[in-house]
Amino acid sequence: MRAEELGFGSFWVNDTPMVHGDPFVALSLCAKATRRIKLGIGVTSPALRSAPAAASGFASLNSLAPGRIICGVGTGNTARRTLGMPPTTAAALERFTAALQDLCAGRPTAYREGDQVRDIRFLHTGAHVNTTDPIEFVVAALGPKAAAVAGRRGAGLISFGLLDPTAWQALHDASRQAIHGTSRAPGSHGNSYVVTALHLLHENEDPHSDAARDATGHLVLSLLDFAADTPEVAEQLGPDERAAVRELLDRRGTTATAPDRYTKLYPNYLGRIAPQDRDLILPSLMNTLALVGTRDDLLTRITALEQAGIDELLIQPVVDPPTEMAQLAELLA
């Protein structure tokens, strides 16, 4: 696999059932084609899968790539909204994470359906179910509640398009503070990952050129989709961004309150944008969500993220994946 050849630490796939294929199938193929690179699902959710079903998938992957599996968990924000449903709660996320950690380590856990609670565990492990090698856990977070779940569970963090070092410091603070009152050591926490896009500017290239918009537009449109689907999010945006949300709704032929709006907003989600949507890719959102700049610009931003505790950048290349991956590898060399 090219990502492994370039020296990257991990390769991830999404768990968004109505938009992408099944991540466990995809990573099974990746596991057989690689030897070193870690393989992550970013992220699954208790609103998508039961704990025993998810644990079975992760333990099976762990048998194909022992010690190389990363389990990302979250409230299912996007994956639920593509179904027209709300995400789950932080409390449900924490119960789900705890159950997955127990099962994937070969421990029993409490499993609830309605009023019934049963202790469950893997009844057969071995060649196809690996509970011996550790699985890395990370929690998807944009705010302190999810970060606190990560702290209490001894998990790392993953966030989408969050490139503000100050915001990352706040997430890490919330995670560390949540460790107090648990049996975990004060300094125990997992890795931190940020999902973004990358565009290295050519000499004299406009930072908001068509090429830059094409490379980063999928991240910007994902935010506009979210805001179009969630009026309270749109209200927090600036006037230009709110205007872009209104234009997006108009182009997709729906409204912020239409019951079926999710069927109009999320097709081709996180795919390469259409040329006619380039005007929606506002410079303010490009700068917030993605890494665009000269080599020196990008190195400065990457260094600031590293100092804020980011362990790995996860880019989503959509225009020319081999070139974009090679550019990131060269920058990080």
Side-chain angles (χ1 to χ4, degrees), residues 130-150:
N130 179 2
T131 60
T132 301
D133 292 286
I135 289 176
E136 179 181 347
F137 282 83
V138 297
V139 174
L142 282 174
K145 286 185 178 180
V149 171

Side-chain angles (χ1 to χ4, degrees), residues 245-277:
V245 170
R246 292 192 295 270
E247 178 62 22
L248 176 65
L249 285 165
D250 186 58
R251 290 185 190 183
R252 301 297 187 260
T254 189
T255 69
T257 57
D260 66 345
R261 61 189 181 278
Y262 61 96
T263 65
K264 309 291 181 62
L265 291 171
Y266 292 107
N268 193 42
Y269 184 78
L270 291 179
R272 183 172 179 174
I273 66 168
Q276 58 267 30
D277 285 334

Side-chain angles (χ1 to χ4, degrees), residues 6 15 48 92 113 121 160 166 179 234 236 265-266 281 323 325:
L6 289 169
D15 192 10
L48 296 176
E113 288 189 8
R121 59 181 175 85
F160 185 89
T166 301
I179 293 175
Q236 299 174 24
L265 291 171
Y266 292 107
I281 311 307
T323 298
M325 291 165 62

